[in-house]
Amino acid sequence: EVQLVESGGGLVQPGRSMKLSCAASGFTFSDYYMAWVRQAPKKGLEWVASISYEGSSTYYGDSVKGRFTISRDNAKSTLYLQMNSLRSEDTATYYCARHPLLPTTDWYFDFWGPGTMVTVSS
Amino acid sequence: DVQMTQSPSYLAASPGESVSISCKASKSISTYLAWYQEKPGKANKLLIYSGSTLQSGTPSRFSGSGSGTDFTLTIRSLEPEDFTVYYCQHYNEYPPTFGGGTKLELK
């Protein structure tokens, strides 16, 4: 059974950093592109970032480019999101999501985690 | 970026009825469209991709149609577990973007 479980969320002050993790199981992690998607309170879904199989290629939404870094450790089947210079508008539930196996150009998400809440506030 | 507009935002129906949810793209996205179901406390579930292809495990009462800019998610013979929130998402180009969501409520 495919499982994605996020962790690392919580309350953080504006301007500080936080690192999210997503533990994957039930599939060969290194075979899949992975992504982070977020949802601010009472708002819709927003794609944040994606990463290729080995991590050599990364892609970011404009709202987080230059502040967030997506990475992965295939040996640990874990996805990460390093978030720096956090702003109040980054307050959201952050979801780990899996891209479909093929084709790699199809950027929808076939499995999601339950999410971890990040609150940026002083 | 491609803007995705869902309508209606809220929809009330009764079990056994059929409903349709619209998703419009600000430019043509061919059939690069996915539909998701969101339930409180649970992981989002992919229902449909490529506009009309049911993801494994999606009940056959769900169907998707459309191409270009206009898409529809139809749910026939509503079951109690179908009353929740639905999102569309395009993936025709970078970046992928989502619709604002449609909440299906019990009448």
Side-chain angles (χ1 to χ4, degrees):
Chain A
E1 180 194 4
V2 172
Q3 284 202 322
L4 299 170
V5 180
E6 304 90 343
S7 61
L11 177 63
V12 61
Q13 293 180 329
R16 303 297 289 264
S17 299
M18 176 176 276
K19 188 172 186 176
L20 305 182
S21 300
C22 170
S25 60
F27 64 102
T28 303
F29 183 69
S30 58
D31 283 351
Y32 291 82
Y33 276 47
M34 297 295 296
W36 290 96
V37 179
R38 69 184 180 182
Q39 185 171 29
K42 309 289 188 186
K43 297 287 183 68
L45 295 162
E46 178 189 15
W47 169 77
V48 173
S50 289
I51 188 167
S52 61
Y53 311 114
E54 297 297 327
S56 56
S57 296
T58 55
Y59 311 84
Y60 298 94
D62 286 344
S63 62
V64 306
K65 202 174 295 183
R67 299 188 300 123
F68 289 13
T69 302
I70 187 172
S71 62
R72 64 192 297 162
D73 184 335
N74 287 342
K76 295 182 178 179
S77 294
T78 302
L79 179 72
Y80 302 100
L81 185 67
Q82 176 68 46
M83 304 183 293
N84 298 332
S85 302
L86 282 161
R87 306 166 181 168
S88 58
E89 54 264 38
D90 296 318
T91 294
T93 298
Y94 285 75
Y95 300 99
C96 169
R98 192 182 81 171
H99 285 250
L101 183 62
L102 288 171
T104 58
T105 51
D106 276 3
W107 281 29
Y108 61 89
F109 311 105
D110 62 358
F111 282 96
W112 298 60
T116 186
M117 182 68 196
V118 172
T119 302
V120 183
S121 175
S122 55
Chain B
D1 298 359
V2 179
Q3 306 302 313
M4 305 301 293
T5 303
Q6 276 183 248
S7 61
S9 298
Y10 297 91
L11 181 58
S14 300
E17 292 183 345
S18 294
V19 296
S20 293
I21 298 170
S22 171
C23 180
K24 292 185 184 292
S26 60
K27 61 183 278 189
S28 178
I29 58 169
S30 184
T31 57
Y32 294 107
L33 186 96
W35 289 97
Y36 302 92
Q37 181 187 64
E38 175 191 271
K39 288 188 173 183
K42 289 192 170 184
N44 291 341
K45 181 182 177 184
L46 172 67
L47 297 173
I48 288 168
Y49 61 94
S50 297
S52 61
T53 302
L54 264 59
Q55 172 71 347
S56 175
T58 300
S60 59
R61 63 181 181 275
F62 289 87
S63 64
S65 64
S67 66
T69 60
D70 293 335
F71 299 84
T72 302
L73 173 69
T74 300
I75 313 172
R76 294 181 292 104
S77 301
L78 283 165
E79 297 284 343
E81 61 268 28
D82 298 337
F83 292 89
T84 188
V85 182
Y86 296 88
Y87 291 95
C88 63
Q89 177 228 326
H90 92 83
Y91 51 99
N92 180 64
E93 62 184 46
Y94 169 92
T97 56
F98 295 84
T102 295
K103 185 173 184 179
L104 178 56
E105 299 176 318
L106 199 56
K107 188 186 289 183

